[in-house]
Amino acid sequence: MIDHIVGPFQYSFMVRALIVSVLVGVMCPVLGAYVITRGRAFMGDALAHSVLPAMVAAFLLGISPFVAAVPAGIAIALLMGSVARRTGISEDTSIGILFAGLFALGLVMLSKATNVTVDIEDLLLGQVLAVSRTDVLASLVLTAVVLAGLYAFHRQLVYTTFDPVGALVAGIRTGLVEYVLLGLLALVIVIGIQAAGIVLVMAMLITPAATGYLLARRFVGVMMIGAVIGAVSAVSGLYLSFHADLPSGPAMALVATAFFGVAATGSRRWRAATREGVEVAA
Amino acid sequence: MLGRRRSAGRDCDAGRQCDPAISLEAVVVEHDGLQALEDVTFAVPSGTLMGVVGPNGAGKSTLFDAIAGVHPIASGQVTLSGAGRRREALAYVPQRDSINWRFPATALDVVMMGLIRRIPWYRRPGRQHRDVARSCLERVRLWDRRGALMTELSSGQRQRVFIARALAQDARILLLDEAFSGVDVAAQEGIVRVLQSLRDEGRIVLLATHDLTNLAQRFDQVLCINRHVCACGPPAEAFTPDVLEELYGSHGVEFAEESGLSTRRRS
């Protein structure tokens, strides 16, 4: 048993994978708390899919695709933010158009890239066992940037999420705050893609945060519980991936979904119980 | 209660003028190329509790947006005087549907939002900030519910929390948009009492509503709008049958006569 848990870490790739898994597990739900309370899940999914062409291009040029995804993710996040504001088309439609178009472009590039072997499954489903030293360093830097951004903008983000009109009247630059959030979201998605892949990074972004939402009372609690559940899901997924030879994205997503299922069945009872408590007290 | 003891204006900070005033001159506001407000002119002196009345779509929210400076005006002028900078001086008590109720905020969290411009981004809220939030929540008699989520409070209590947030900001001008929708009569009474005490301190309170009941006796002034100003003045003078008909059609006149709002009929 002990050997199953500790044994894998004789391989340095496994140590790198563990670091990235924890970062993904913690950071995705912290941002995900905003994503779910703002109803931005589709935006998150779209952002993840839209960085595919940049990642493929990086592969072809011999650069780390995750490092290349950083500027691409930020550019696409800003583009999506402004397209959604300016066109007369509804926001989810314009995001959907960009998302599908860019993802299609990435797939076309992949199918034409004959001289380089790109493992498409690793890109789409995540292969945390394959992360390089550069990827680990990049993830640590991105995590620091995102945490600093969340700290600096915490009160503005909270105000604009809860009461966008009141925030505007109070002099908060709500447009800027929205772009900051999208930028941070792009960075977190780039960290997440390494472990969960383009297709399933959304599961790490929203599922643990939603579990936290069921269990916690206040917003910061949603982030905290989400981060713990996210980290446990990611590390469990890593073990599943190592021992059962699975792609890491689906393994992590399944564990996270199982946590959500347990919380959802348990929490209805919990909520009903507290509601009765409140009524008795009142 | 904390605020009642203060007399008008005495709580002003040094260096800040105490008597806010609003004046609008020939203000035109456009929405998607259409005129939402035409030639709106009126003035509100300090220490006024004013009801803004008009049917749905009359431009009440647009008027507030123009005063708050979050909607550009096509022509005319909005002047807020004696109130310091607009961002600090003015607070908005939002309509129910403009709030994101999915966000789990407690009453205390919401009041702390009112302090956002006083706490630099790199600092956590300190003891003095919590004390301000406490006195504001006590003033609306909700300190004992500070830990309740907003979704657990009644509509009237929510409105009082938002008023406490405006107090935490130390706003001299409060704009309340449809503050009475979904609030029962007893709770309306509680809100009005708080608003009256704010008025007594020299603040300006504008409250938009399309509900005419209870209005006449409670407000010093009413502004009747239906894209333009139909009337502005004390309720007894402003609610003439002609104005009510302009606002609500013949139904409004009948209603007003039944409830004793208006008895004079010019014709």
Side-chain angles (χ1 to χ4, degrees), chain A residues 121-281:
Chain A
E121 194 183 285
D122 284 359
L123 268 184
L124 296 186
L125 303 181
Q127 194 40 278
V128 74
L129 298 174
V131 295
S132 67
R133 270 196 62 158
T134 323
D135 296 337
V136 175
L137 283 176
S139 303
L140 284 168
V141 171
L142 293 184
T143 299
V145 170
V146 172
L147 287 176
L150 283 176
Y151 183 85
F153 282 87
H154 178 72
R155 282 190 289 268
Q156 274 110 316
L157 283 165
V158 163
Y159 205 148
T160 55
T161 305
F162 176 68
D163 179 6
V165 181
L168 193 62
V169 174
I172 295 173
R173 292 158 73 190
T174 50
L176 173 73
V177 173
E178 175 81 12
Y179 283 120
V180 167
L181 183 67
L182 288 177
L184 298 178
L185 183 59
L187 298 185
V188 164
I189 283 172
V190 172
I191 306 174
I193 284 175
Q194 302 172 78
I198 284 172
V199 176
L200 286 170
V201 67
M202 164 120 129
M204 291 310 287
L205 201 60
I206 63 170
T207 309
T211 313
Y213 189 78
L214 291 180
L215 300 177
R217 196 172 155 76
R218 298 181 55 198
F219 184 69
V220 176
V222 175
M223 284 183 164
M224 302 282 189
I225 295 182
V228 171
I229 290 175
V232 173
S233 307
V235 175
S236 318
L238 169 64
Y239 278 110
L240 278 176
S241 176
F242 179 82
H243 289 296
D245 191 24
L246 292 169
S248 54
M252 291 177 182
L254 276 180
V255 179
T257 310
F259 274 117
F260 179 81
V262 172
T265 38
S267 120
R268 219 169 294 138
R269 238 174 278 145
W270 181 78
R271 290 253 151 139
T274 46
R275 210 173 301 130
E276 275 163 27
V278 168
E279 274 161 17
V280 170

Side-chain angles (χ1 to χ4, degrees), chain A residues 34 36-39 148 151-152 154-159 161-172 213 217-219 222 278, chain B residues 68 70 87 90 92 94 98-100 102-104 106 109-110 113 116-117 119-125 147-150 152 162 165:
Chain A
Y34 284 114
I36 62 168
T37 50
R38 286 180 166 234
Y151 183 85
H154 178 72
R155 282 190 289 268
Q156 274 110 316
L157 283 165
V158 163
Y159 205 148
T161 305
F162 176 68
D163 179 6
V165 181
L168 193 62
V169 174
I172 295 173
Y213 189 78
R217 196 172 155 76
R218 298 181 55 198
F219 184 69
V222 175
V278 168
Chain B
V70 296
R87 294 307 179 205
L90 187 140
Y92 191 77
S98 76
I99 296 292
N100 174 5
R102 267 192 306 246
F103 188 88
T106 64
D109 291 337
V110 173
M113 289 176 193
I116 190 162
R117 296 182 70 87
I119 310 174
W121 64 268
Y122 49 88
R123 297 275 299 269
R124 316 287 305 161
L149 293 176
M150 289 297 277
E152 293 165 347
F162 286 122
R165 181 177 74 180

Side-chain angles (χ1 to χ4, degrees), chain B residues 247-266:
Chain B
L247 290 178
Y248 297 101
S250 54
H251 172 75
V253 182
E254 283 162 30
F255 172 81
E257 281 168 354
E258 279 164 27
S259 59
L261 261 181
S262 162
T263 46
R264 288 183 300 152
R265 185 177 272 277
R266 286 185 242 152

Side-chain angles (χ1 to χ4, degrees), chain B residues 169-189:
Chain B
Q169 187 191 326
D170 196 22
R172 310 301 299 164
I173 300 169
L174 281 80
L175 307 177
L176 291 85
D177 202 355
E178 298 294 352
F180 287 164
S181 73
V183 178
D184 66 53
V185 178
Q188 287 184 10
E189 191 64 44

